[in-house]
Amino acid sequence: AAAPGTGKIELIFGPMFSGKTTELLRRIRRHKLADHRVVVIKYIKDTRYNAARCTTHDYNSWDALCAARLDECRSAVADYDVVGIDEGQFFPDIPSFAEDMANAGKTVIVAALDGTYQKRPFGRVLELVPLAESVTKLSAVCMVCKQDAAAFSQRISREREVEV
């Protein structure tokens, strides 16, 4: 991770519908209020609500760069202080990108699923844990028991691919 006094990595993990993107955008807005230069990167295949905006399930949104790999954004984020990354589990180059950005003095905030619906590590996102200064694990409301304690995503469709 970053040397003391430079950048840092903040992780926001949780199952689907736990509020990861909401928390990411909350933190981004706070940095913007502090006059930090902020940018958000989202996974290019996430077009559920808006292809060019990072959007929560309740339609809060922020302009975003779209990419399949984070390395595509290196020059575009050079002048920013804070880099938010949504759907971090889909970026194969997230460990090196996040560490490089933190070492360059940036705050990197990653919102991601930490596990698949099979309760297996999702992509390379867990490699960020030893690099991070903070890790937040959110829970969702369980749609079976209605308790605010769901720590894992449950697949209710028949697809077997990890990315649907």
Side-chain angles (χ1 to χ4, degrees):
T6 60
K8 64 179 180 175
I9 298 171
E10 300 176 8
L11 304 178
I12 306 164
F13 288 139
M16 292 173 49
F17 300 101
S18 62
K20 297 177 302 297
T21 302
T22 299
E23 178 62 16
L24 169 66
L25 295 185
R26 185 189 73 80
R27 293 182 191 190
I28 288 294
R29 285 186 177 96
R30 288 176 61 85
H31 280 284
K32 183 72 172 170
L33 285 171
D35 290 327
H36 298 156
R37 296 166 297 174
V38 301
V39 63
V40 174
I41 303 169
K42 67 179 264 180
Y43 185 55
I44 197 164
K45 291 184 183 179
D46 181 6
T47 58
R48 292 172 294 178
Y49 301 111
N50 187 312
R53 294 181 69 82
C54 176
T55 306
T56 67
H57 294 299
D58 58 356
Y59 303 104
N60 288 314
S61 66
W62 194 274
D63 285 339
L65 303 174
C66 301
R69 295 183 58 85
L70 292 165
D71 284 336
E72 300 168 19
C73 301
R74 282 186 185 268
S75 61
V77 304
D79 293 331
Y80 290 94
D81 305 309
V82 180
V83 179
I85 301 169
D86 194 37
E87 302 290 357
Q89 71 275 5
F90 291 125
F91 294 106
D93 54 342
I94 196 159
S96 60
F97 180 86
E99 186 171 27
D100 290 349
M101 293 298 109
N103 287 339
K106 300 177 189 312
T107 295
V108 181
I109 308 169
V110 179
L113 293 168
D114 53 345
T116 67
Y117 75 97
Q118 302 152 319
K119 297 183 183 176
R120 302 283 186 260
F122 205 135
R124 299 185 62 200
V125 76
L126 291 181
E127 294 176 38
L128 292 173
V129 172
L131 305 174
E133 279 71 22
S134 72
V135 179
T136 303
K137 173 96 177 194
L138 303 175
S139 62
V141 173
C142 175
M143 299 314 292
V144 176
C145 71
K146 306 301 182 192
Q147 298 296 310
D148 184 14
F152 310 102
S153 298
Q154 180 181 13
R155 171 76 47 89
I156 57 175
S157 63
R158 295 190 183 271
E159 291 97 343
R160 294 291 168 236
E161 300 84 19
V162 173
E163 182 180 343
V164 177

